[in-house]
Amino acid sequence: MPSVAEIFETMAWGPAPEAAEPALAWLDQHGRRFGHFVGGQWRAAEQTFEVFNPANRQVLAQVGQGSSADVDAAVKAARVALPAWSSTPGHVRARYLYALARQIQKHSRLFAVLETLDNGKPIRESRDLDIPLVARHFAYHAGWAQLMAEELPGYGPVGVVGQIIPWNFPLLMLSWKVAPALAMGNTVVLKPAEFTPLTALLFAEIAQTVGLPPGVLNVVTGDGETGAALVNHADVDKIAFTGSTEVGRSIRQVTAGSGKRLSLELGGKSPFVVFDDADLDGAVEGLVDAIWFNQGQVCCAGSRLLVQESIERPFLDKVRRRMAMLRVGDPLDKAIDIGAIVAPSQLERITRLVEDGRAAGAEVWQPPDACPVDGWFYPPTLVTGVGPASELAQVEVFGPVLVAMSFRTPTEAVALANNTRYGLAASIWTQDIDQALDVARGIQAGTIWINSTNLFDASSGFGGYRESGFGREGGREGLFEYVRRAPGLRGQLSVLSSGEATTSHGRPTTDHSLPAIDRTPKMYIGGKQARPDSGYSRLVYGPGAQVMGEVGEGNRKDIRNAVEAARAALGGWTGATGYNRAQILYYVAENLAARSKEFAARLAELTGADGVAEVEEAIERLFTFAAYADKFEGSVHQPPLRGAALAVPEPIGVVGVACPTDRPLLGLVSLMAPLISMGNTVVVVPSERYPLAATDLYQVLDTSDVPAGVVNIVTGARDDLAKVLAEHDDVDALWYVGTPDGRRSVEAASVGNMKRTWTHLESELSIESLPVDDALREATQTKNIWIPWGA
Ligand code: NAI
């Protein structure tokens, strides 16, 4: 070891190791062998596998490989515990969560060291970021348990929740999943990642210590097979998953049609955008946090540097100088910046992607002799000379590899930023607030950091747009992943029910002057009536099986045209103000009211039900969503930093809608109105049996200033057309009301671009009581824009 005098000469860092002994002693206490935590007890594992320290390749412990019998026992324990836990008063649940938070704080160093041993991340990070955030997460959600009755009246837990988490933030991901689930009264079966199960086992022990009732939290360790057993278990009500897009996709596929709720937090390829007026030194430090934090094994890592062309060269010079100073090495050394890669398979993947890029012509720069040779390390890497479509610019490397590209204008920056199938996060660096917020609105991602990066807090929802998945974790918005309306407490959309409806129009009779029977309405696409591509029509029958008319038989091509029209209209409609959209929805209501007699007669004729009431309810619903167009506003989160995070609801984009059979006008309006009021454009497949109720609406839409392409209607076989919508990669979300088969088919088909789906069984949903707040939430996705302030 050099003397102090020599260190003064060279200014080299001396070692500052954190002791591993307390964590190793804890492993020894367990004989370095762990079973599963089921029903409050340790359950011996029949098979085990080895868990390694990635910094030195030594075996840390033997951990159970959960079988389907283990998973089954855990799900049973969670089911048994559910009634008591879900009816435990919020205050009592809050006390448990608070106790967990306190225990984590009290054992924070043990948790941090164990995390670093298991995962390879620098102790500075596990000690200063992971573990404090875990404690904050439990404390914050203790608050929501306390407030649930006041703040979420009418909601109850989802039930037994299966949670599958990755290895990059083992305990933090546990807290993101377990804290809100328990706060809302669910019981949990958690499967940690096979590379990093140790802190979850320590957490289980702590849950035992605080006396968490048996079965409320169960931990089954194992690999993907154990995860799959949990996903496939028939008695699990919801799956929450964080991990690779590939596995997320397979989970979507196998849960399709099962009625299981699902939230997915998947990969990313997040842009880090630097404008020429940015504080460049600040941006370089930000970049270090964005891509070299946790060895770049971060789903929202700023892995794509987009730098304005005029400063590209000086900025990259600064980046290289800074990279040369990063220290890669023993993660337990407190002066280390970059630790070890979690496993050899990940190291191989990173190496392969970089070498393939190099072979394809990319320039790869790494600081000389950066890495120790003992464990699984990879040096900080800068890649230049790649095109936006190259593999390295598109694929999630999940390692300390930064890919740099340049842009000229803000518009080009936004286009490049969005040139990815993902949409998890983005970081924007500029001193110009107008530019920052403008670009923040333009980038399609769930989290945007302005002049900052990788900020996380329990108060602010985190989650993706597009193929980065769906669902939010954290904040008030994250709670809705773990609640459902208690039966019998559905929010009422409308105060009118058919029985109560009164109208001056009187009940229509069937001897009205109806349009001639042989009229054949076309599709409604891009604001125009279009002939069906198929050249076929289908007959429409009334209640007594008499022929009422014909409508076009829509096919794949009609859907394609409708989606194109909806996409073309999206920019203008999303950009319109909420006030403007409200005016248009009121106008639709007004014009429907003007023709209510005709619509009521038509509905009565078609369905044999009370048409007057249905028209009145549809009008009221249009009013409701017109009212919300400028009132569903989001919130301002107050994370513990100098600044705020603006949670802004944004439209999802082009949404496909498959309508229920009965109450054809009300069904269509109830699904269309929330979507367009929030700025989405829609392709609607109306009631298959009563499509004339929709086709009559064309003129109403035309006369109400609804811009062409905002609403498109394709008549025909609902389940076939819904499947085409689900398969279409330019449709961003799908709402479906129909049959179990149809639901399974659309959920499975939606995996292509990881569409968000909102599905209901016709037999279970009464469209008149579709909850307003659910519809608004499903019509939007929240973007959190973090704005630090202060000099
Ligand atoms: P992975 O997606 O296979 O693993 C995540 C979790 O899912 C683990 O607990 C695993 O045991 C479980 N799992 C695997 N197969 C499953 C199945 N069929 N059913 C249910 N659960 C299953 O991720 P992996 O292989 O560890 O990493 C591969 C790549 O995935 C990384 O290089 C990275 O690109 C990405 N990744 C992204 C993460 C993120 O947070 N977005 C986290 C981890 C990985």
Side-chain angles (χ1 to χ4, degrees):
M1 188 178 290
S3 69
V4 174
E6 279 164 347
I7 289 173
F8 265 107
E9 276 303 304
T10 61
M11 293 306 279
W13 293 80
E18 173 77 35
E21 285 71 20
L24 297 175
W26 179 78
L27 293 173
D28 288 338
Q29 267 170 35
H30 288 267
R32 301 239 176 183
R33 189 184 166 95
F34 293 86
H36 311 288
F37 184 68
V38 174
Q41 305 287 330
W42 291 98
R43 176 182 163 100
E46 277 175 19
Q47 278 187 2
T48 59
F49 60 92
E50 291 174 328
V51 173
F52 295 88
N53 175 351
N56 60 17
R57 309 173 202 231
Q58 283 171 9
V59 176
L60 289 168
Q62 301 284 329
V63 170
Q65 166 63 23
S67 62
S68 42
D70 296 322
V71 168
D72 189 48
V75 172
K76 283 206 174 91
R79 179 62 63 194
V80 169
L82 183 66
W85 182 247
S86 57
S87 52
T88 299
H91 175 62
V92 178
R93 289 205 304 272
R95 284 189 176 216
Y96 282 114
L97 286 162
Y98 183 70
L100 288 168
R102 297 292 288 157
Q103 281 289 321
I104 289 157
Q105 283 171 330
K106 281 191 241 178
H107 299 285
S108 60
R109 197 53 76 96
L110 176 60
F111 271 113
V113 173
L114 190 62
E115 195 76 306
T116 285
L117 285 174
D118 200 9
N119 166 280
K121 63 173 66 201
I123 184 74
R124 269 194 313 127
E125 293 178 10
S126 50
R127 182 195 61 193
D128 300 344
L129 194 123
D130 290 59
I131 307 306
L133 274 178
V134 171
R136 156 99 177 126
H137 226 81
F138 278 98
Y140 174 83
H141 283 93
W144 280 122
Q146 176 75 34
L147 299 177
M148 185 179 178
E150 284 79 29
E151 291 287 325
L152 298 171
Y155 283 95
V158 176
V160 173
V161 182
Q163 304 186 320
I164 298 168
I165 55 173
W167 41 261
N168 52 348
F169 294 91
L171 193 67
L172 187 58
M173 289 301 107
L174 174 152
S175 72
W176 282 24
K177 300 248 177 313
V178 171
L182 298 193
M184 296 294 104
N186 302 274
T187 55
V188 164
V189 178
L190 177 91
K191 197 209 73 73
E194 54 271 43
F195 299 147
T196 55
L198 299 179
T199 46
L201 296 167
L202 176 58
F203 179 80
E205 196 172 277
I206 272 175
Q208 224 174 9
T209 316
V210 305
L212 194 70
V216 169
L217 170 81
N218 306 276
V219 179
V220 181
T221 54
D223 61 10
E225 274 187 34
T226 313
L230 185 55
V231 168
N232 288 317
H233 198 291
D235 203 28
V236 170
D237 299 304
K238 174 189 164 97
I239 294 290
F241 171 80
T242 298
S244 61
T245 302
E246 192 191 5
V247 173
R249 224 182 268 288
S250 80
I251 292 178
R252 167 72 290 186
Q253 205 115 38
V254 298
T255 55
S258 65
K260 281 185 188 130
R261 291 260 299 266
L262 180 63
S263 51
L264 299 173
E265 204 266 90
L266 310 174
K269 190 77 184 175
S270 299
F272 188 101
V273 186
V274 185
F275 286 94
D276 59 5
D277 67 346
D279 164 2
L280 296 190
D281 292 323
V284 170
E285 288 313 306
L287 196 56
V288 169
D289 274 344
I291 182 66
W292 292 302
F293 168 58
N294 201 19
Q295 297 71 251
Q297 301 167 136
V298 183
C299 49
C300 52
S303 52
R304 279 189 303 146
L305 170 64
L306 305 178
V307 55
Q308 199 152 18
E309 198 178 79
S310 49
I311 54 156
E312 185 184 9
R313 185 178 292 225
F315 188 74
L316 289 181
D317 285 345
K318 275 179 189 287
V319 172
R320 285 191 198 93
R321 273 203 300 280
R322 185 69 179 84
M323 286 169 72
M325 289 159 64
L326 291 171
R327 302 187 72 226
V328 188
D330 177 8
L332 278 177
D333 184 336
K334 290 169 207 151
I336 281 298
D337 298 300
I338 299 183
I341 301 295
V342 73
S345 56
Q346 287 298 310
L347 186 59
E348 277 157 28
R349 177 186 152 87
I350 298 166
T351 311
R352 178 179 55 73
L353 282 165
V354 171
E355 291 318 313
D356 286 357
R358 199 197 299 267
E363 286 163 39
V364 176
W365 189 85
Q366 294 168 331
D369 55 84
C371 285
V373 287
D374 254 6
W376 302 312
F377 291 94
Y378 197 84
T381 302
L382 172 67
V383 179
T384 51
V386 293
S390 65
E391 187 181 39
L392 274 176
Q394 288 292 331
V395 169
E396 182 177 43
V397 177
F398 230 62
V401 179
L402 176 68
V403 176
M405 285 169 281
S406 66
F407 65 88
R408 289 191 177 156
T409 62
T411 312
E412 201 186 341
V414 170
L416 273 173
N418 286 336
N419 182 27
T420 163
R421 57 200 179 110
Y422 296 116
L424 202 51
S427 189
I428 300 166
W429 294 76
T430 170
Q431 292 302 102
D432 176 344
I433 185 75
D434 294 348
Q435 178 155 274
L437 293 177
D438 210 36
V439 172
R441 291 294 290 200
I443 295 180
Q444 297 228 321
T447 299
I448 311 273
W449 294 293
I450 292 176
N451 293 331
S452 53
T453 193
N454 273 344
L455 298 175
F456 310 100
D457 185 54
S459 68
S460 302
F462 184 87
Y465 280 26
R466 307 203 275 183
E467 289 189 41
S468 289
F470 40 79
R472 289 290 178 273
E473 297 188 291
R476 187 189 170 89
E477 58 257 44
L479 301 178
F480 292 98
E481 301 298 333
Y482 290 103
V483 291
R484 69 164 128 224
R485 278 171 198 283
L489 285 171
R490 289 176 156 277
Q492 286 295 303
L493 187 62
S494 163
V495 291
L496 287 178
S497 69
S498 335
E500 292 164 350
T502 54
T503 167
S504 56
H505 306 301
R507 194 190 155 91
T509 56
T510 50
D511 57 0
H512 276 78
S513 53
L514 291 169
I517 256 172
D518 61 347
R519 210 183 67 172
T520 302
K522 302 171 188 157
M523 310 294 164
Y524 186 64
I525 295 176
K528 296 200 181 71
Q529 298 208 26
R531 277 180 206 293
D533 170 73
S534 66
Y536 288 102
S537 296
R538 55 166 50 214
L539 291 172
V540 178
Y541 299 94
Q546 73 276 31
V547 173
M548 297 289 302
E550 289 179 330
V551 292
E553 183 72 65
N555 69 7
R556 185 172 289 275
K557 182 127 183 268
D558 299 311
I559 292 283
R560 204 178 67 200
N561 294 340
V563 171
E564 254 173 44
R567 177 63 57 191
L570 186 65
W573 188 242
T574 300
T577 61
Y579 177 57
N580 188 224
R581 292 197 293 263
Q583 293 302 303
I584 290 174
L585 277 162
Y586 282 126
Y587 202 16
V588 175
E590 183 186 323
N591 285 322
L592 182 57
R595 294 175 57 184
S596 58
K597 219 169 161 180
E598 173 199 335
F599 270 86
R602 170 75 104 173
L603 286 166
E605 185 83 0
L606 283 170
T607 65
D610 182 352
V612 175
E614 186 168 345
V615 175
E616 289 299 329
E617 285 179 73
I619 291 168
E620 187 178 349
R621 203 146 297 186
L622 286 162
F623 262 66
T624 298
F625 290 111
Y628 269 117
D630 56 2
K631 293 180 193 62
F632 192 66
E633 289 178 311
S635 54
V636 179
H637 296 309
Q638 305 210 6
L641 76 127
R642 286 195 302 167
L646 313 182
V648 186
E650 292 195 336
I652 301 167
V654 174
V655 181
V657 178
C659 294
T661 307
D662 294 333
R663 314 214 75 196
L665 179 68
L666 186 64
L668 188 157
V669 166
S670 302
L671 301 176
M672 173 194 82
L675 284 166
I676 65 173
S677 89
M678 294 294 106
N680 302 280
T681 58
V682 294
V683 177
V684 181
V685 180
S687 166
E688 181 173 330
R689 182 159 157 74
Y690 308 119
L692 296 174
T695 58
D696 289 347
L697 206 65
Y698 298 171
Q699 292 95 346
V700 172
L701 297 172
D702 277 342
T703 49
S704 308
D705 294 345
V706 178
V710 169
V711 177
N712 305 276
I713 298 175
V714 178
T715 51
R718 177 186 59 198
D719 285 1
D720 295 350
L721 296 175
K723 180 153 182 282
V724 176
L725 281 166
E727 285 165 348
H728 199 305
D729 274 353
D730 215 21
V731 173
D732 301 302
L734 189 81
W735 289 15
Y736 172 87
V737 185
T739 60
D741 277 353
R743 178 170 76 172
R744 183 173 331 104
S745 147
V746 296
E747 287 183 351
S750 71
V751 299
N753 65 348
M754 298 304 300
K755 273 180 198 63
R756 233 170 102 172
T757 55
W758 194 36
T759 60
H760 300 272
L761 294 183
E762 213 161 0
S763 52
E764 289 172 8
L765 177 79
S766 76
I767 197 74
E768 41 288 320
S769 57
L770 185 78
V772 179
D773 52 348
D774 287 2
L776 292 168
R777 254 195 325 276
E778 292 291 340
T780 52
Q781 50 193 349
T782 305
K783 175 184 276 180
N784 274 276
I785 305 176
W786 290 65
I787 308 178
W789 53 60

